[in-house]
Amino acid sequence: MAESSPTSLKGTTRRSSLTLPPSMSSSSGPLTEELQCSICLDVFTDPVSTPCGHNFCKTCLNKCWDNSQTCNCPYCKETFKQRPDLKINTTLREIVDHYKKKSPEKKPEVLCDFCEERKLKALKSCLVCQSSYCETHLQPHFKVAGLKKHKLMDPVSNLEDYICQKHERPLELFCRDDQTCVCLFCTEGDHKNHNTVPIEKESEEKKIQLIKTQKDVQQMIQDRNQKIQDIKYSAEVRKRKTADEKAAHVELFTDLIRSIERCQTELLKMMEEQQKAAEKQEQELIKDLEQEITELKMRNTELEQLSHTEDHLHLLQIYSSQCSPTKTRNWPEISIKTNESMSNLRRFLTQLQDTLNKKLSHSATVTELKWMQQYAVDVNLDPDTACPYLILSDDGKQVRCGDIKQKLPDNPKRFDRYPNVLGKEGFSSGKFYFEVQVKGKTAWDLGVVRESTDRKGEIRLCPSNGRWTVWLRNGNEYSGCNNTLVSLSLRVKPQRVGVFVDYEEGLVCFYDVESSSHIYSFTGQSFTDKLYPFFSPCNNDKGKNSSPLVITPVNYNK
C-alpha cells in the first residue's frame, strides 16, 4: 500500500463504492494510520477535516480548541485566524463504519485452566467443574460417565456469573415468580413451589418478546421518521402559504391605497368645485347688495328732497308710493353654504372606513380558511353506516337519496330512519378539515358526530345528542343546529362547504369555500368520543333535491 497521510481524504463528500486497502479490509488486520485520530489515538468518531487537510474526531478537535486561546491544527500546527466551521467528512465516516463492521471488537480469549506450560485456547467451559478446557483436557467429559452429565457451554471468562452463589451449582432454571435464574437446589428452598422453567425455554420465549419489542421499536423509529417528514412537509406548506398570504396582503393594501388616493382625488375635486361655487355665490350676492344700495341711496335722496318741498299738493299725491315698504331681499336669511364640504369629507371618510373594514375582514377570513385547509384529510363514505335509501358512488366520494329502500344487512352502525351516512375514519385528537360540494341542492345536513351517537329512530341534530351540524332547508333557509336552532343570514348561496374541527379546542367551524366567508361555529365544546364526518343529502323531494353531496379535493392554491 502506498504511503498516505490524513490529507488523502480531505473534504470528500461524494458517495461511491468503497474499496478498502488489504490492511483495512482484513478483520484481523491492524488499525491503519488513515483511520486513527492523532489526538485520541483511536479509530475516528464523526471525522472532520481542518482547512489544512488533516482529519480528527469532531469531539477531540473541539475539546482541543476549547482549551486553547488559538485554533491550530494539532497535527501540523497551522494556525487559523477564525475557528473553522467543522463539517463531518462523510466519505471518511463511511470508510470508518465499513472498517468497524469488518473489524468488530474481539472478545477476550478464554484459555484452558489445565494447560501447564503453553496454555491453549479453551473449547468449552464446565459449569459443574467451574473450569474451562482445551480440546485435549476436555476429553474426559466425553468419556467418563460421571463427567458426561456435566453442563458444558461455550467458553467464558466469567464463569462465576453462571453459578449459584448460594449452592455453587449451575444456574439451570428460571423462576418466573421472582424473575431470576436459580439452580436446582434453590427449588427446594427459597423457590419451592415457584413456577420454574429451564433457562433455555425462558430464553427462547424472551427472544420472541425481544423480537416483538424490536419490531415495536422499529415501528416507532419509522413513525418518528414519518413524523419528521410530515413536519418538514408542513413547514414547506406553511412557508408556501405564508408567501401567498404576504402577496395577498400586499395586493390588499395596494388596493386600499389606490382607493384612498381615488377618494382623496374626488374629495379635493369636489372641494375645489364647491369653493368656486361659493366664490361665485359671494360675487353675485355682493353685486345684488351693491345694486340695492344704489337704489336705496337714490330713494333716500328723493325722500330728502320731498321732505323739504313747498309743493303740498305734489307731496300728498306721491306720499303713498314713497312711504310704502322698500322691496329688497331678506338678507338675514341668506347665507353662504360653507359646511357642505365638511359633510362630504365625513361621508367619504365613512365610506372609506367601511370599505377598509370589509376588505380587512374578508382578508382575515381568507387567511383563516387557508390555515385550516392545511389540515385537510381524505374522507371516504362508510357504506356500513349508510341509510338503506342512500346511494353511494363506487369511489365513496358521493351520496344521494333514492326513492327505493335497498335490502342491506342491518348492523348497529347503520342509520335506519334518516338519510344519513358517516365517513369511514374517525378522529380522537388534533385538527382535521374536509370540503363538500352542495351545488344544486335544496336541502342538506353537514358536520361531525360522535361515535356513540344514536343511529336508530328519530334523533334531533344538536350538540347534546353528539351532533355538530349546519343545514339547508327549502332552498334558502340555513341554520346552525345548536341546542336551539340558530337562523343564519348568508350573503351568497354556498356551493362548497368546508368543515374544520379542532378536537382539543372543542371547535367546529363551517365556511363557504367559494366566497371565503364564515358560515357558523360551535365553540367551547367538550369532545370525548371519536368524531366522524357526517353527511345527509336529505330526501329526494320528487327529484327537486336529487343532486348528490360530493366530497371534493381541497384546492390549496385558491
Side-chain angles (χ1 to χ4, degrees):
M1 173 178 171
E3 184 179 357
S4 61
S5 69
T7 60
S8 62
L9 296 169
K10 175 183 179 181
T12 305
T13 58
R14 184 175 66 85
R15 294 182 177 273
S16 61
S17 176
L18 299 177
T19 303
L20 299 181
S23 61
M24 295 168 63
S25 60
S26 171
S27 61
S28 60
L31 180 64
T32 60
E33 183 182 352
E34 287 83 356
L35 303 183
Q36 186 176 1
C37 173
S38 59
I39 298 176
C40 65
L41 301 180
D42 203 348
V43 65
F44 286 124
T45 300
D46 291 334
V48 294
S49 300
T50 59
C52 58
H54 298 127
N55 304 302
F56 305 92
C57 297
K58 185 175 183 179
T59 302
C60 293
L61 189 55
N62 277 327
K63 285 183 178 179
C64 182
W65 285 349
D66 289 342
N67 297 326
S68 175
Q69 295 182 349
T70 58
C71 293
N72 54 30
C73 174
Y75 188 86
C76 68
K77 305 305 179 184
E78 180 178 340
T79 301
F80 311 116
K81 293 182 179 179
Q82 292 184 341
R83 182 164 178 164
D85 183 16
L86 300 175
K87 303 292 185 182
I88 301 296
N89 188 324
T90 55
T91 299
L92 181 54
R93 183 171 61 182
E94 288 180 5
I95 295 175
V96 170
D97 291 343
H98 187 81
Y99 178 86
K100 288 180 178 179
K101 290 178 181 178
K102 289 291 185 179
S103 306
E105 294 184 6
K106 298 178 182 179
K107 295 181 179 179
E109 283 190 351
V110 179
L111 303 178
C112 177
D113 292 327
F114 291 89
C115 290
E116 294 183 354
E117 296 181 357
R118 180 174 173 271
K119 288 187 175 291
L120 299 178
K121 183 179 177 182
L123 183 63
K124 291 288 182 181
S125 293
C126 177
L127 292 178
V128 178
C129 301
Q130 300 185 33
S131 299
S132 299
Y133 301 92
C134 65
E135 185 176 4
T136 302
H137 291 108
L138 186 62
Q139 292 306 312
H141 279 78
F142 297 133
K143 298 177 181 178
V144 179
L147 296 178
K148 286 183 179 181
K149 297 179 181 180
H150 287 192
K151 188 174 182 64
L152 300 177
M153 60 179 295
D154 290 335
V156 293
S157 57
N158 55 333
L159 267 173
E160 64 276 4
D161 293 339
Y162 296 82
I163 304 298
C164 175
Q165 299 302 310
K166 183 176 182 180
H167 303 106
E168 296 186 352
R169 299 287 295 175
L171 296 170
E172 302 177 274
L173 302 172
F174 184 81
C175 176
R176 289 179 170 172
D177 294 340
D178 296 332
Q179 290 292 300
T180 185
C181 295
V182 298
C183 70
L184 189 59
F185 287 177
C186 290
T187 60
E188 298 175 359
D190 296 339
H191 298 271
K192 188 176 183 180
N193 299 324
H194 284 192
N195 181 13
T196 57
V197 294
I199 58 173
E200 293 82 4
K201 179 180 179 180
E202 184 68 18
S203 177
E204 290 302 319
E205 293 185 8
K206 286 289 192 290
K207 286 180 181 178
I208 295 173
Q209 291 298 319
L210 285 174
I211 293 172
K212 181 179 181 302
T213 302
Q214 183 186 16
K215 289 181 179 179
D216 292 342
V217 171
Q218 290 172 346
Q219 184 61 48
M220 291 171 67
I221 294 171
Q222 184 177 345
D223 292 344
R224 280 149 181 77
N225 283 330
Q226 183 60 48
K227 188 65 176 178
I228 290 173
Q229 296 304 315
D230 292 344
I231 293 172
K232 289 181 178 179
Y233 174 75
S234 297
E236 184 62 31
V237 170
R238 184 178 63 255
K239 182 179 179 181
R240 186 171 64 250
K241 286 183 176 294
T242 300
D244 292 342
E245 289 169 10
K246 284 182 179 178
H249 280 88
V250 169
E251 182 180 356
L252 168 66
F253 284 103
T254 300
D255 187 34
L256 289 173
I257 291 171
R258 288 182 185 139
S259 298
I260 294 171
E261 291 174 346
R262 184 173 61 253
C263 290
Q264 181 185 35
T265 301
E266 292 176 359
L267 180 60
L268 293 176
K269 181 180 179 181
M270 181 173 291
M271 292 176 68
E272 185 177 351
E273 291 175 350
Q274 290 174 348
Q275 176 66 21
K276 290 180 178 179
E279 290 176 355
K280 182 179 179 181
Q281 183 189 17
E282 291 168 357
Q283 291 174 359
E284 290 175 349
L285 290 174
I286 291 172
K287 183 178 179 180
D288 291 346
L289 284 168
E290 288 176 345
Q291 178 66 31
E292 287 192 6
I293 290 172
T294 300
E295 293 174 355
L296 289 170
K297 283 182 178 180
M298 291 175 61
R299 185 176 181 190
N300 183 61
T301 301
E302 292 175 356
L303 291 172
E304 178 68 23
Q305 293 174 354
L306 190 60
S307 65
H308 294 90
T309 184
E310 296 296 332
D311 188 348
H312 302 294
L313 180 60
H314 178 68
L315 173 64
L316 294 174
Q317 288 176 339
I318 65 172
Y319 177 80
S320 296
S321 61
Q322 292 295 328
C323 290
S324 62
T326 305
K327 294 182 179 180
T328 61
R329 297 173 68 176
N330 187 9
W331 291 106
E333 294 181 2
I334 297 175
S335 62
I336 301 174
K337 297 178 180 179
T338 59
N339 294 325
E340 186 176 351
S341 60
M342 292 302 296
S343 299
N344 289 329
L345 176 61
R346 284 193 291 270
R347 186 177 72 253
F348 273 107
L349 290 176
T350 301
Q351 293 174 351
L352 181 61
Q353 184 176 9
D354 291 343
T355 302
L356 178 63
N357 289 339
K358 288 178 181 178
K359 289 187 176 182
L360 288 176
S361 176
H362 178 71
S363 174
T365 305
V366 170
T367 301
E368 187 176 35
L369 181 57
K370 284 186 176 182
W371 175 79
M372 291 178 177
Q373 286 177 329
Q374 70 178 310
Y375 296 101
V377 294
D378 184 21
V379 176
N380 294 284
L381 301 173
D382 185 358
D384 291 339
T385 66
C387 172
Y389 282 97
L390 294 183
I391 302 172
L392 277 59
S393 61
D394 293 338
D395 63 358
K397 297 295 185 181
Q398 300 186 28
V399 57
R400 61 185 178 87
C401 188
D403 296 319
I404 302 174
K405 185 176 182 179
Q406 304 173 77
K407 293 182 179 179
L408 299 174
D410 192 17
N411 63 70
K413 294 171 60 178
R414 190 180 304 283
F415 293 94
D416 66 346
R417 180 168 182 177
Y418 291 103
N420 302 334
V421 62
L422 301 184
K424 279 187 176 181
E425 184 180 2
F427 302 87
S428 57
S429 64
K431 306 174 183 67
F432 64 93
Y433 173 89
F434 60 94
E435 292 180 356
V436 184
Q437 178 181 299
V438 296
K439 184 178 180 180
K441 297 195 64 61
T442 60
W444 48 259
D445 305 336
L446 285 176
V448 293
V449 302
R450 67 188 179 204
E451 185 174 28
S452 60
T453 189
D454 293 333
R455 317 281 177 102
K456 311 299 181 183
E458 184 173 353
I459 310 159
R460 181 165 164 258
L461 293 177
C462 61
S464 59
N465 288 334
R467 301 184 177 199
W468 295 266
T469 61
V470 295
W471 76 21
L472 166 66
R473 295 292 184 268
N474 303 319
N476 60 1
E477 298 174 5
Y478 297 90
S479 298
C481 302
N482 214 317
N483 292 324
T484 56
L485 209 60
V486 180
S487 180
L488 305 176
S489 178
L490 305 184
R491 268 191 317 112
V492 294
K493 184 180 177 70
Q495 304 297 306
R496 190 158 79 246
V497 176
V499 183
F500 173 78
V501 177
D502 187 330
Y503 194 97
E504 282 74 21
E505 290 295 324
L507 177 66
V508 182
C509 296
F510 299 85
Y511 280 81
D512 179 350
V513 178
E514 298 294 337
S515 65
S516 297
S517 58
H518 177 253
I519 296 176
Y520 187 71
S521 290
F522 295 90
T523 59
Q525 305 298 303
S526 179
F527 303 132
T528 53
D529 288 7
K530 272 189 177 182
L531 296 180
Y532 286 82
F534 172 83
F535 310 86
S536 176
C538 294
N539 294 327
N540 188 292
D541 194 17
K542 298 180 180 179
K544 296 179 182 179
N545 190 37
S546 60
S547 298
L549 291 177
V550 183
I551 302 170
T552 59
V554 174
N555 183 5
Y556 295 96
N557 297 320
K558 180 173 174 57

